[in-house]
Structures are given as structure tokens and as C-alpha cells.
Amino acid sequence: MNISLINIGDELLIGQVVNTNASTMSQRLTSAGMEVQRVVIIPDNGDTIRQTLIDELHRSDAVLVTGGLGPTKDDITKSTIADLFHSTLVESPVALATIRSIFERRHYELTPLNRQQALVPDCCTVIDNQVGTAPCMWFEGETINRALHLPADTRKVLVSMPGVPYEMEWLMEHDVVARLRHYFHTSHIISKNIVVQGIGESFLSDLVEPWELSLPAHLRLAYLPQAGMVKLRLTARGENADTLRHDIQNAVDGLYALAGKYIVGEDCESIPEVVASIFRRRRLTLATAESCTGGFVASRLTALAGCSEYYMGGVVSYSNDVKENTLGVNHDTLLTHGAVSEETARQMAEGVRTRLHADFGTATTGIAGPGGGTPDKPVGTVWIAVAGPQRTVTQLLQLGDDRQRTIERTTNALLSLLVKEATM
Amino acid sequence: MNISLINIGDELLIGQVVNTNASTMSQRLTSAGMEVQRVVIIPDNGDTIRQTLIDELHRSDAVLVTGGLGPTKDDITKSTIADLFHSTLVESPVALATIRSIFERRHYELTPLNRQQALVPDCCTVIDNQVGTAPCMWFEGETINRALHLPADTRKVLVSMPGVPYEMEWLMEHDVVARLRHYFHTSHIISKNIVVQGIGESFLSDLVEPWELSLPAHLRLAYLPQAGMVKLRLTARGENADTLRHDIQNAVDGLYALAGKYIVGEDCESIPEVVASIFRRRRLTLATAESCTGGFVASRLTALAGCSEYYMGGVVSYSNDVKENTLGVNHDTLLTHGAVSEETARQMAEGVRTRLHADFGTATTGIAGPGGGTPDKPVGTVWIAVAGPQRTVTQLLQLGDDRQRTIERTTNALLSLLVKEATM
């Protein structure tokens, strides 16, 4: 069962908004055993929407559309679909009731423009969107077959959802995915991630080649390199879930035999999840001090639910004043060695560890840029430190002049170092 | 001049990686006056890649491809392109020299697998990728026309780039965008963002309707609603840059006349940029205390270059211990009212303001979920506070059970409140 996604919106094509909808939708559909074979992003243009709908409905069993359902003039998805299916727009009582209740809850007046959002093509099934004012519309079977001149028994589905990520996610979770699984017969899909650290993608590929070549045909392997680590994703597809689980476990055992010493986590999507898994298992606690990463380390850690079990808190010490007063970095150290120095990083990590009563303390201090570099310490110079019960280790990074990349790579390098120190 | 983007990679279709490449590329191309009319995301599958290349080359003047150039077995973009153009792979001296120097710099041994990355179709122009091991390939004119049976004078371009965001960005910035502008004649494009706060999208649309309808035809308006604000983007396209700038300024003046009191910033892409613009202009300083947002507020602020001018630092007070010791929240307050309370938020904001010697202090404390809720304080209950030289204000938010969304919306609500207090 194949799916095409169509994300509609001028804002996606001028690059003002990152299209997270495609990945969220793909993730949910993939884990429900459906395969997204194509994502198409197009502008709010009637002809383009119409032609893309036709192309993708020919190509795939189901087409999921987001965007173009707002109340403003540039939102034309609904009228384009109505036109394609030769249907007229009628007011949906379900949609109107939800819109009314949302407006009442917010104490807003219901304008005629908002009321128009309750209009839907008369050939659709309305899926009640309880978290927003744009209704979700489901089209199936005859409606599609007639418009596209397909054989009468063809089973195709078109779903139109709002582009607001939260609303789309709510609809997928509460209705659309289950409705699709019910309408189509879908096989099982099971996958497993193995996180590997300390070896580059090409060396890893050489190392595991015999294993990779011997994988059964229904198992797929993907390399997903990220800063500082490689994620291997094994995906199995078939009729029997137990068999698939067994096959994947066999493959994982084979991988451990060849590359076990580089494996730092299973089923962790990210390095913060690797950290979480280690700290939780070993009942350790953690505190962070950040200068150049400016809270990014903390925010990556606290994005995970349940982090309060091991994460005590942190200090973002942007000014030297905060480094001295809140973290206890020595005034003379800052004068002699500067804020971006091994000694400052060490004292920050040890300071936050002591003051926040944690087993491990971490620190970052550097010049994220694009300004602030000197011949001695060019932009991208970063010191990181991890202080633990036994020892404090430091590391110098040289990361170039891309600010966001320096922040992200520093965070990954720091959490990698922390993984090493906490698993020693 | 129209462009199609093709992003290749299984990882993009199973939702493991958010496809930021499409938005980064669109942004750069749009600001250089080129129009991205379509983005297509497809798997690492030879037939699909081939057919999509053909379709998009027919549809657009230029097709930019990312992904599938790595050294592993699942990367097949290069061989598919070579095949499409009936060309053979030859070793590029330029590419090999760069790969060698990268490996030498990293003190890695050059394996045969890595050396294969220097192979390119003999009909391409190699664009030197100095930040990675996969070469960038440029195809134009006759090569494309012959393969697609197009008239001999057709001017089409195909560019194949690595999928690693940093490498793609480097190539776009240092070569590809300029090369495209040179190959095609491109008109000017100028745009301006106006950030509006305190009015919903549909009310704003009603309010500015007469203005919107009177905009000249070469000006386009897009509504880009985000949590807590609406961004309006005006885009003008034409032959004369000065005329375009003048037309946009006229339109902006008209918008101020109708909706001036809701406008909080110009050419700010985000609410942190609005904050930055206000704090810099008024020479104010800022410190942050965060519980439920866990460093996200700080990381949004410090993502902007030059933030050390006004941002002193912050405390991520995840545990009560940190709230008391580092921020000075009263022990009895925590016992009586709890960590998630108006009183705690107030003391956190005032504490961080005083202890970090800033003009403004902010605080967030809440239950981001998915666990930790009580009947009194359900998941999504958040208190925010802003302490300034004159007064401290607090606000209660009820944000539902989506952790990441609660963190993001709390951050936006807090920064919006901060904007209000700092511009009083």
C-alpha cells in the first residue's frame, strides 16, 4: 500500500517555514506499516494543485494533502478539490459545531469568514478536527474513480488536512491512520535503530559488509549518519509480526558480533536519548553549564519526557559575571586564560557539578561566531568539559564559522564525551 | 525561471530526518530571484530517481538534486544520472584531490570505497566540494537535451549535491546559486516581513482587506501564522530593484495606516529577533529562568549572533533545589504553592533578574508532560512571569499534552509578554 503526500503552501517553497509535516506524517505512516513513496511540495496554485492531485492519485493508493485550508484568500485547496470531483460546497453541521465551540472557548466572535471554514464538498466524509477550525476531509472510492476515469472497483483515498502541524498530528493520531489501515489491508512493519559511535560511515560499511550482504531480502538497512555518530536502521516487512521481530533480533546479534564495541545504544533516535538511557539505568544525575551553546544542551536534554529523573538543571553563563558568581569560575582564570579556555571549561563543569549537587557536570565555552574571533582563538574555537566523580576531562574543538552548526556540533561532541565518561 | 528540487533518501520518507534541505535551498534561491515551483522527495530507488529526473527536467528550467551520493550501497544517485545521460564514470582529479586532503586533515586512511567517491559522469562539470567527500556535479545544455530529446537550443540545468545540509549549503553559497544566476537571466525579487501581534489571522485579514485588494499585481502577500503572532510577507518581482523597493515601502506604509498598532517588528523572522531588536535599540539587558522550557528560551535567544550585547545568561532550574539555591525561590513558597505556581514563577523571574544583574528577568514553570499532571494542575499548566524595573507580570497558560508544543508555545508566549513589557 503506497502513499503520496502533498504539502501545499507558498511559504514552504520560499523557505520561510521548514516542512516538518512530511517527516511527522511519514513517521506515523511508516510505523503503521504503510509506505510513503513520494512527497510533493507545491504552491497555493489551483492548476498545480489539481494536476498534482490527479498525478498522485494515479500513482498511489492514498494521497494525503496538507495545507491551503485557512480562512484567507490564498487558501484554495478546498475549492480545487470540490471542482476536481464536480461537487458543490455545503455547510457541514459537524464542522460548524466544532468551529463554534472553539470560538466560544476563546471568547472570539464568529465572523462570516470563519463560518466559511465549515463548507466542505458534498462528496466527502468530514473528520472532526477538534483542535482547529479547518475541517479534515476524506474522499474514497467512487468519487475518485469517476473523476479520474478509473475502474469502478478501484480503492483509492484522498485526505485533505490543515497544514498547522499540531492539527495535522492530532488528526493523524486520532483518526486518519486508523481509518487508512482499516480501508486498506496493510502488512506489518517493524524496525530497530542501532546507534554507533567512534567509527565513520565508510569504515563501518567496510567492517559490516559480510553481515550486510547476508541480510534476508525482507530486511532493509539504512545508514543515517549524524554529527558524531551513525544510526543504523533495520526495517522488516511481512505478514507475521513475530517472525519479523525474530529476524530483526538475529540481524542485530550479527551486528553486535562484528561491531559491538562501537554500539552505544538501541532504539535511541538521538544522542540525548543515549544519555538518558545510560543515566537512568545507572541512576546518575547531571547538571550543565553552557556558554557558547546558550541553553541548547539543556533544551536537547529536556526535550525528552521524564528527564527530571536525572537532569537537575543548568546555568547559561553568557556573561563573565555569571561564570564567576553563579558557577564559581575563578576571576583570575578569566583574566589570565580568558572565557574561552580549557581552564574555564574545567571550572565551569566542576562548578555546576558541585553547586547543583550532580554526579556529572558538563561545560561548553567557545566562539560561536560569526564575530568575536581573534588570531589566537578563531571563530569556531570551543572548549568542552565533563566533570565526574573520578575525574574531569576536556576537549578542544575547531568548528568553523557557521553559528548554528557550531552550537549543534558542540552539543553532540559534549554529549558523546559525556556518554564515554559515564560508561567508563 | 523555474526550479524543481528533488531530495533523495529513504530516511526522508520514513520520517527519521526532517528535510531541512528543501527550505534552506528554497530560501537561498528565492532571495536570489529564482522561483522554486516544486519539491519532490523520493526514495533511493533507481527507477524512481530516473523517472523523477526526467519529469522534473521537462517541467523546470533547473533541477537541483540532493542525496544519494554517499559511499554506501544504498547511494545510487550518481550511477542513475550517468545512465540517464549515457555516460561513463571517470575519476575526477579535482574531486580526488579534495577527498585526499580531507582524509589527510582528519588523519584517516583513504579506502578504495572513499576513492570511489571521486568518480563522476564524464559529461559533468565538477563543482569542488571543499567541505565534504562527495563531489557536486553540474550538467547543462546538450547533455540534457540529447537524453530528453529536447530542441538543441534548450537551456536546462541539472545539479546533483550531497544531502548533508552543511555541504549542500556551502555549495549553494559558494558556487551553485551564482552559477544558476549566470546561466539563466533572472529578474529581481525583493521581500519584506512585517510581524503582527495581538490579532488573529482572520481578524487581521478582515481589517486589512481594502489594502490587500489594492496591492499592485506584481506584489504578493502571504500570511504566515505562528504561535502568538502572524508574519506578513510582501514579495515583489520585476526588472528594476529600486522600483520594487519603492512599491514595497508604499505597501508597508498602507499597512501601518490600517494595522500599525499590532505591528511589533519589521524584517524579523522570529519573535526572538523582535526581542533582540527591542533590547538592542533600548540598551536593555535580559536574564532567563526556566523550568518547563528547559533551556529552550535561552537557546532561541542565543541562536542569534550578537546576543551577548543584551543577554546576560540564565538558569535552568529543573529541580526544586536549584530553584531555591540558585534563584532564591522561597522554600515555603515551594511547599505551600508548589513549583508550578504563580508565586514561584514570580520569584524565579525576580530572582534571576536580581542575581544576574539584568533589567528584565523571565521565568517559566509548568508541567510539560506527558506525565506529572494532577486534577488541580493538569498536564499543560504553565505559569510564566516577566520581572522588569517597574513591575512583575505573570500569566497562566493551559497548553494541552504535547510536550514539544508546550515548550514552544510557552517560549513564544513568554517572549511576547516580554516584548509587551519592554515596550511599555
Side-chain angles (χ1 to χ4, degrees):
Chain A
M1 191 228 153
N2 286 321
I3 297 183
S4 290
L5 308 181
I6 304 176
N7 303 128
I8 299 172
D10 288 349
E11 73 280 14
L12 302 172
L13 290 167
I14 56 175
Q16 274 215 317
V17 174
V18 177
N19 181 25
T20 55
N21 282 354
S23 63
T24 318
M25 294 168 85
S26 298
Q27 209 167 26
R28 303 227 163 179
L29 294 165
T30 302
S31 33
M34 291 173 267
E35 189 167 334
V36 177
Q37 63 167 340
R38 193 180 196 83
V39 178
V40 188
I41 310 174
I42 52 173
D44 295 294
N45 171 298
D47 292 339
T48 307
I49 296 175
R50 184 190 172 89
Q51 192 54 50
T52 308
L53 285 172
I54 293 171
D55 290 347
E56 298 307 322
L57 279 169
H58 276 293
R59 193 190 312 268
S60 294
D61 302 308
V63 177
L64 274 56
V65 181
T66 63
L69 298 182
T72 51
K73 281 162 206 48
D74 54 356
D75 291 315
I76 53 173
T77 302
K78 198 158 59 182
S79 56
T80 306
I81 294 178
D83 191 56
L84 174 66
F85 294 146
H86 311 291
S87 66
T88 49
L89 293 172
V90 295
E91 192 171 76
S92 155
V94 174
L96 185 61
T98 303
I99 294 171
R100 260 195 216 292
S101 84
I102 287 175
F103 272 74
E104 273 165 22
R105 220 157 54 220
R106 295 182 189 162
H107 307 291
Y108 283 171
E109 194 200 336
L110 189 69
T111 67
L113 197 60
N114 294 119
R115 187 166 177 148
Q116 274 179 32
Q117 293 207 271
L119 294 178
V120 299
D122 56 11
C123 57
C124 85
T125 304
V126 172
I127 299 176
D128 190 16
N129 174 8
Q130 290 176 17
V131 293
T133 53
C136 172
M137 295 164 281
W138 171 283
F139 306 84
E140 65 175 49
E142 207 192 320
T143 300
I144 297 171
N145 299 341
R146 222 177 323 116
L148 272 74
H149 311 293
L150 297 171
D153 59 345
T154 311
R155 289 177 76 73
K156 300 245 179 192
V157 165
L158 171 68
V159 188
S160 167
M161 284 178 276
V164 180
Y166 176 69
E167 298 181 29
M168 177 279 292
E169 282 170 42
W170 189 92
L171 285 160
M172 291 284 283
E173 191 180 321
H174 288 82
D175 194 302
V176 174
V177 172
R179 207 180 278 252
L180 285 168
R181 288 201 68 154
H182 185 254
Y183 190 84
F184 297 98
H185 172 74
T186 53
S187 65
H188 286 278
I189 189 161
I190 290 181
S191 64
K192 185 156 187 89
N193 294 321
I194 307 288
V195 185
V196 174
Q197 207 201 5
I199 182 169
E201 185 184 2
S202 61
F203 294 97
L204 180 65
S205 172
D206 278 349
L207 178 65
V208 304
E209 192 177 23
W211 167 81
E212 188 176 349
L213 292 173
S214 74
L215 288 177
H218 65 291
L219 255 66
R220 274 199 85 163
L221 177 73
Y223 285 79
L224 310 168
Q226 301 190 339
M229 63 184 198
V230 180
K231 235 189 295 176
L232 295 177
R233 184 185 174 100
L234 275 163
T235 309
R237 179 186 292 276
E239 291 313 310
N240 188 317
D242 288 337
T243 313
L244 297 181
R245 259 181 227 108
H246 178 259
D247 294 345
I248 285 211
Q249 193 50 53
N250 268 353
V252 169
D253 293 345
L255 182 62
Y256 265 93
L258 273 174
K261 69 171 171 168
Y262 299 111
I263 297 176
V264 294
E266 286 184 25
D267 286 327
C268 299
E269 289 296 329
S270 63
I271 185 91
E273 288 181 51
V274 178
V275 170
S277 141
I278 294 166
F279 272 71
R280 194 173 277 139
R281 225 159 37 204
R282 302 190 178 203
R283 297 183 187 285
L284 296 168
T285 57
L286 175 63
T288 55
E290 303 182 61
S291 185
C292 66
T293 49
F296 193 75
V297 173
S299 75
R300 290 292 307 274
L301 293 167
T302 59
L304 303 175
C307 62
S308 53
E309 266 182 59
Y310 50 88
Y311 184 62
M312 312 298 289
V315 174
V316 180
S317 56
Y318 235 63
S319 72
N320 278 352
D321 190 38
V322 177
K323 289 187 186 74
E324 278 186 53
N325 296 332
T326 312
L327 291 173
V329 175
N330 196 297
H331 184 74
D332 289 339
T333 302
L334 289 169
L335 280 184
T336 319
H337 301 277
V340 179
S341 64
E342 180 172 19
E343 202 39 45
T344 299
R346 173 188 300 275
Q347 290 182 26
M348 285 170 66
E350 290 172 355
V352 82
R353 175 179 181 269
T354 313
R355 295 194 173 200
L356 270 61
H357 312 298
D359 297 312
F360 281 86
T362 65
T364 63
T365 180
I367 302 148
T374 63
D376 259 26
K377 296 175 184 173
V379 169
T381 303
V382 176
W383 278 100
I384 61 176
V386 173
Q390 317 293 336
R391 65 173 190 176
T392 300
V393 292
T394 59
Q395 200 177 304
L396 174 65
L397 311 171
Q398 295 288 1
L399 298 173
D401 59 1
D402 183 301
R403 183 178 182 88
Q404 196 51 39
R405 187 166 183 248
T406 292
I407 291 173
E408 286 169 20
R409 293 191 68 177
T410 301
T411 301
N412 284 328
L414 178 76
L415 295 180
S416 300
L417 185 61
L418 177 63
V419 166
K420 270 186 214 148
E421 290 297 302
T423 50
M424 262 208 324
Chain B
M1 191 228 155
N2 286 321
I3 297 183
S4 289
L5 308 181
I6 304 175
N7 303 128
I8 300 172
D10 288 349
E11 73 279 12
L12 302 172
L13 290 167
I14 57 176
Q16 272 214 318
V17 174
V18 177
N19 182 24
T20 55
N21 282 353
S23 63
T24 317
M25 294 168 84
S26 299
Q27 210 167 25
R28 304 226 163 181
L29 294 164
T30 304
S31 33
M34 292 173 265
E35 189 167 334
V36 177
Q37 63 167 339
R38 194 182 195 83
V39 179
V40 187
I41 308 175
I42 52 173
D44 295 294
N45 172 296
D47 292 340
T48 307
I49 295 176
R50 184 190 171 88
Q51 192 54 51
T52 307
L53 284 172
I54 293 171
D55 290 348
E56 298 307 321
L57 278 170
H58 276 294
R59 193 190 311 268
S60 294
D61 301 307
V63 176
L64 274 55
V65 180
T66 62
L69 297 182
T72 51
K73 284 168 203 42
D74 55 356
D75 291 315
I76 53 174
T77 302
K78 198 158 60 182
S79 56
T80 306
I81 294 178
D83 193 56
L84 174 66
F85 293 146
H86 312 291
S87 66
T88 50
L89 294 172
V90 293
E91 192 170 76
S92 155
V94 174
L96 185 61
T98 303
I99 294 171
R100 259 195 217 293
S101 84
I102 286 175
F103 273 73
E104 274 165 22
R105 219 159 54 221
R106 294 183 187 161
H107 307 290
Y108 284 171
E109 194 199 337
L110 188 69
T111 66
L113 198 61
N114 294 120
R115 186 165 178 148
Q116 273 178 33
Q117 293 206 271
L119 294 178
V120 299
D122 56 10
C123 57
C124 85
T125 304
V126 172
I127 298 176
D128 190 18
N129 174 9
Q130 291 177 16
V131 294
T133 53
C136 173
M137 294 164 282
W138 172 283
F139 305 85
E140 64 174 49
E142 207 193 322
T143 301
I144 297 172
N145 298 341
R146 223 178 321 117
L148 271 75
H149 310 294
L150 297 171
D153 58 347
T154 312
R155 290 176 75 74
K156 300 246 179 192
V157 164
L158 171 68
V159 188
S160 168
M161 284 178 277
V164 179
Y166 176 68
E167 298 181 29
M168 176 279 292
E169 282 170 42
W170 189 92
L171 285 160
M172 291 284 283
E173 191 180 320
H174 287 82
D175 193 302
V176 174
V177 172
R179 208 179 276 253
L180 285 168
R181 287 201 68 154
H182 184 254
Y183 191 82
F184 297 98
H185 172 73
T186 54
S187 65
H188 286 279
I189 189 161
I190 291 181
S191 65
K192 186 156 187 89
N193 294 321
I194 306 288
V195 185
V196 174
Q197 208 201 6
I199 183 169
E201 185 185 3
S202 61
F203 294 95
L204 180 65
S205 171
D206 278 349
L207 177 65
V208 304
E209 191 178 24
W211 167 82
E212 187 176 348
L213 292 172
S214 73
L215 287 176
H218 64 292
L219 255 67
R220 273 199 87 162
L221 177 74
Y223 285 79
L224 309 168
Q226 300 191 341
M229 62 183 196
V230 180
K231 236 188 295 176
L232 295 177
R233 184 185 173 100
L234 276 164
T235 308
R237 180 186 291 276
E239 291 312 311
N240 187 317
D242 287 337
T243 312
L244 298 180
R245 258 180 229 109
H246 179 259
D247 294 346
I248 286 210
Q249 194 50 52
N250 267 354
V252 169
D253 292 346
L255 182 63
Y256 266 94
L258 273 174
K261 69 171 172 169
Y262 300 111
I263 297 175
V264 293
E266 286 184 25
D267 287 327
C268 299
E269 288 297 328
S270 63
I271 184 92
E273 287 180 52
V274 178
V275 171
S277 140
I278 293 166
F279 272 71
R280 194 172 279 139
R281 225 159 36 203
R282 302 190 179 205
R283 299 184 186 284
L284 297 167
T285 57
L286 176 62
T288 56
E290 304 182 60
S291 185
C292 66
T293 49
F296 194 76
V297 173
S299 75
R300 289 293 307 275
L301 292 168
T302 58
L304 303 175
C307 62
S308 53
E309 266 181 60
Y310 50 87
Y311 183 62
M312 312 298 289
V315 174
V316 180
S317 56
Y318 235 63
S319 71
N320 278 351
D321 191 37
V322 177
K323 288 187 188 72
E324 279 185 54
N325 296 331
T326 313
L327 291 174
V329 175
N330 196 296
H331 184 74
D332 289 341
T333 303
L334 289 169
L335 280 183
T336 319
H337 300 278
V340 179
S341 65
E342 181 173 17
E343 202 39 44
T344 299
R346 174 189 300 274
Q347 290 182 26
M348 285 170 67
E350 290 172 354
V352 82
R353 176 179 180 268
T354 313
R355 295 194 173 201
L356 270 61
H357 312 298
D359 297 313
F360 281 86
T362 66
T364 64
T365 180
I367 302 149
T374 64
D376 262 24
K377 297 176 183 172
V379 169
T381 303
V382 176
W383 278 100
I384 60 176
V386 173
Q390 316 293 336
R391 64 174 191 178
T392 300
V393 292
T394 58
Q395 199 176 305
L396 174 65
L397 311 172
Q398 295 288 0
L399 298 173
D401 58 1
D402 183 301
R403 183 177 182 86
Q404 196 52 39
R405 188 168 182 250
T406 293
I407 292 173
E408 285 168 19
R409 293 191 67 176
T410 301
T411 302
N412 284 327
L414 177 76
L415 295 180
S416 299
L417 185 60
L418 177 62
V419 165
K420 270 187 212 145
E421 290 298 301
T423 51
M424 261 207 325

